[in-house]
Amino acid sequence: MSASSSVSAQPKSSITVRIDRDITALDPAFRGGPHDANVVRAVFQRLAALKVDGTGLELDAAAELKQVDPTLIEFTLKPGQMFTDGFGEMTAEDVKFSFERFAVAPVDGKVSPYKADWAGLTEVEVTGTYTGRIKLSAPNAGLMTVAIGDCSGCIVSKKAVLERGTEHNTHPVGSGPYQVASVEKQRGAVLRRNPDYKGARPAFEEIRVNFIQDPKTTELALRSGELDFAVLPPSIAEPMRGASGLSVENYPGLAYIWLGINMQKAPFTDMRVRQAVRLALDVDQMLLAGFNGKAPRLNALVMPPVLGYWKDAPVYKRNVAEARRLLAEAGQTSIKTRITILNQPAYQSMALVARALLQEVGISAEVDVQEGGTYWDAGKGEAGKNIDMFLMRFNGKLDPSFLMQWFTSSQIGLWNWQRFASPEYDQLAQQAIRELDPAKRAEIAIKAQQEMDKSAAFVWLTNDVAYVVRRTNVKPAFLPGAIDWQLDKFTPA
């Protein structure tokens, strides 16, 4: 029997999964992204949680959750749900604190970057030890899916957050299936089963969440049996098909990848220059280089499974002559610029193709490859004013407003690295949150995407493809797109 077969045959009380970004903050309101959120969901409870297939919610901390009308939701907690580390029983006061701290009543003035998830929230009224009312100023069509049922709906201990302060980011206090045993910078986290959790007992005693940025290193760890689960690029995952003890499965992606252009940095302040960049590039050629042709082309923000998919979005084809004409008209015949990218093989390959294509129209582009910590700050704050072009990947959810929220004017200096400032778009983004009729909401989302298209600040590439590589004796659980994992629902295969 081979070594890898021997590893697969052993009964498992623990598993190891890979995240591609270092742990940032294990706090629901200040998480750094899915790499944090996947741990957060295993540590904290929600009133109700999204089902694994993404079709709806199932009760979690709540015994009852009722939408009374479009702006009022009532809840009743199950009694006896205990926070770890001796922080006592969960009450409606903890729910109030957890939800209002996003924006309504921020602690120490710190507003959550995910405040849009709770758009319209005015108050959580506590009506009893275990009961309360969530009040909105206007309907929020994605509230159940994006906030209450997901990471922004996780319930923290008010006492623990106030006592621990920033320490709560790495020593969180939850009431969920797992508790954090340790967090180590540049290494990851260790989760252990919470013996006091009142819900269904998770299958594994321990889950090690290992930070491994390099996909090739991840492949070696999977082949050797050190890792049980990872999501990888096609170029790394495909050659692993048939490897002993491993299974490779691919799913439609729910992320969006694009080349962004800073509209407020000369010469890209000129619309014609941005249009020229868009026409100089060949999206299909870039995808062939970055994803071996395995990832589908994306032509607008919203991907096909999500409400508001713009099926008639323009498909821009490379047109060197028109790109040169636009640059000449703008008085720009020799531009020197920079494409900032994350240090990942797919982005490096696409950026090198983009550089060659741009060179043909008179744009000389340096590829600036940055490590994770530096890259994720490159477009933020004052530094963001100096970024030129960049390749970016955002993780999506099954709601158009979640996808749209990062490109409003209020996100300039945070996640809107294009510095795209459109009052029309901002208004449409607000309308999309409040519109409860799906057909009307889809129309609004398409109009918003048309505003993005007019700006020529976005060159859409792909909605990605999720290649899941797992040991054959582990059955993972994740929402569509394999971005949002349900670690507590991983089981032996």
Side-chain angles (χ1 to χ4, degrees):
M1 180 181 286
S2 70
S4 59
S5 297
S6 171
V7 169
S8 298
Q10 294 171 5
K12 299 179 77 68
S13 62
S14 68
I15 56 170
T16 305
V17 303
R18 175 253 189 170
I19 52 173
D20 61 0
R21 284 181 63 189
D22 197 13
I23 296 290
T24 310
L26 300 179
D27 182 305
F30 296 96
R31 62 196 189 270
H35 61 295
D36 288 340
N38 288 331
V39 175
V40 166
R41 273 188 295 269
V43 172
F44 296 91
Q45 288 182 274
R46 291 149 280 176
L47 292 176
L50 283 167
K51 294 178 181 177
V52 175
D53 62 5
T55 58
L57 301 179
E58 54 192 3
L59 292 176
D60 185 9
E64 186 178 13
L65 183 65
K66 182 182 179 183
Q67 181 107 33
V68 178
D69 62 47
T71 59
L72 180 63
I73 299 166
E74 295 180 345
F75 67 87
T76 302
L77 293 172
K78 299 169 186 171
Q81 297 176 121
M82 307 303 292
F83 288 112
T84 58
D85 297 358
F87 278 95
E89 184 184 23
M90 180 193 296
T91 68
E93 187 62 40
D94 295 303
V95 177
K96 176 182 176 70
F97 176 81
S98 299
F99 298 170
E100 289 187 354
R101 69 194 283 252
F102 275 77
V104 174
V107 179
D108 297 330
K110 296 176 184 174
V111 175
S112 167
Y114 296 91
K115 64 180 181 179
D117 291 358
W118 281 103
L121 178 68
T122 56
E123 178 192 11
V124 178
E125 178 191 2
V126 174
T127 57
T129 304
Y130 306 114
T131 58
R133 292 151 60 91
I134 300 168
K135 298 179 178 179
L136 306 174
S137 59
N140 181 334
L143 190 70
M144 288 290 189
T145 301
V146 173
I148 288 175
D150 204 349
C151 208
S152 292
C154 287
I155 302 165
V156 301
S157 161
K158 177 180 179 179
K159 183 181 178 185
V161 171
L162 295 179
E163 278 191 19
R164 293 193 172 179
T166 56
E167 186 192 356
H168 190 264
N169 289 336
T170 51
H171 293 87
V173 171
S175 59
Y178 286 96
Q179 52 191 326
V180 176
S182 65
V183 174
E184 191 175 346
K185 200 71 180 165
Q186 296 296 311
R187 294 293 295 267
V190 176
L191 308 181
R192 295 221 173 90
R193 197 155 51 196
N194 177 6
D196 298 323
Y197 175 57
K198 302 300 182 185
R201 179 184 170 93
F204 297 106
E205 180 66 35
E206 181 180 272
I207 298 181
R208 293 183 294 274
V209 182
N210 285 7
F211 165 53
I212 309 174
Q213 183 172 349
D214 180 52
K216 194 66 181 174
T217 305
T218 305
E219 177 194 352
L220 296 174
L222 283 160
R223 289 183 182 274
S224 69
E226 296 169 41
L227 268 182
D228 297 292
F229 170 83
V231 180
L232 286 168
S235 59
I236 301 294
E238 280 285 359
M240 299 174 72
R241 289 193 188 276
S244 178
L246 293 177
S247 176
V248 179
E249 295 133 8
N250 55 290
Y251 302 88
L254 200 64
Y256 40 120
I257 299 172
W258 75 99
L259 182 140
I261 305 171
N262 182 354
M263 298 174 63
Q264 294 182 5
K265 173 86 179 288
F268 303 113
T269 47
D270 191 316
M271 164 85 77
R272 294 166 297 188
V273 176
R274 301 195 300 271
Q275 290 172 331
V277 169
R278 187 163 63 183
L279 289 173
L281 296 174
D282 185 326
V283 171
D284 295 325
Q285 197 173 329
M286 290 173 70
L287 293 180
L288 186 63
F291 294 91
N292 289 10
K294 301 291 184 183
R297 178 170 177 164
L298 185 68
N299 298 308
L301 170 67
V302 179
M303 60 284 294
V306 182
L307 184 75
Y309 169 58
W310 182 17
K311 64 180 176 58
D312 298 320
V315 181
Y316 290 99
K317 299 292 184 183
R318 190 166 195 243
N319 189 329
V320 173
E322 180 63 9
R324 285 177 176 162
R325 187 194 69 77
L326 286 164
L327 289 172
E329 188 180 292
Q332 300 286 345
T333 54
S334 182
I335 294 172
K336 290 187 178 180
T337 188
R338 184 176 73 252
I339 306 173
T340 302
I341 66 167
L342 182 64
N343 184 18
Q344 291 286 337
Y347 304 126
Q348 291 181 37
S349 298
M350 289 192 292
L352 290 174
V353 170
R355 182 178 71 179
L357 297 171
L358 291 168
Q359 187 69 49
E360 290 184 39
V361 301
I363 299 175
S364 178
E366 169 200 352
V367 178
D368 181 14
V369 183
Q370 298 187 358
E371 295 296 329
T374 308
Y375 172 81
W376 292 109
D377 288 331
K380 293 183 177 178
E382 287 297 307
K385 294 178 180 179
N386 296 316
I387 202 165
D388 291 350
M389 294 188 282
F390 54 91
L391 284 177
M392 176 64 87
R393 178 187 188 276
F394 276 5
N395 294 291
K397 295 186 184 294
L398 294 167
D399 183 84
S401 292
F402 183 89
L403 305 181
M404 292 163 60
Q405 66 179 306
W406 313 111
F407 306 104
T408 59
S409 302
S410 64
Q411 285 286 336
I412 292 174
L414 295 170
W415 292 114
N416 181 354
W417 292 11
Q418 294 79 202
R419 307 185 84 81
F420 168 63
S422 165
E424 293 82 8
Y425 179 88
D426 293 349
Q427 186 177 11
L428 289 162
Q430 280 300 313
Q431 290 175 9
I433 290 172
R434 295 172 181 171
E435 180 55 65
L436 300 180
D437 181 277
K440 291 179 181 177
R441 195 171 183 226
E443 287 178 13
I444 293 167
I446 289 171
K447 287 179 183 175
Q449 291 170 89
Q450 290 168 344
E451 291 300 319
M452 299 176 90
D453 184 69
K454 287 177 193 174
S455 75
F458 305 83
V459 180
W460 300 105
L461 299 172
T462 177
N463 56 290
D464 210 350
V465 57
Y467 273 76
V468 170
V469 185
R470 62 178 177 88
R471 303 214 69 76
T472 51
N473 61 351
V474 173
K475 183 181 179 183
F478 44 76
L479 294 178
I483 296 168
D484 295 331
W485 309 342
Q486 314 293 328
L487 291 174
D488 60 301
K489 292 183 171 61
F490 278 45
T491 60

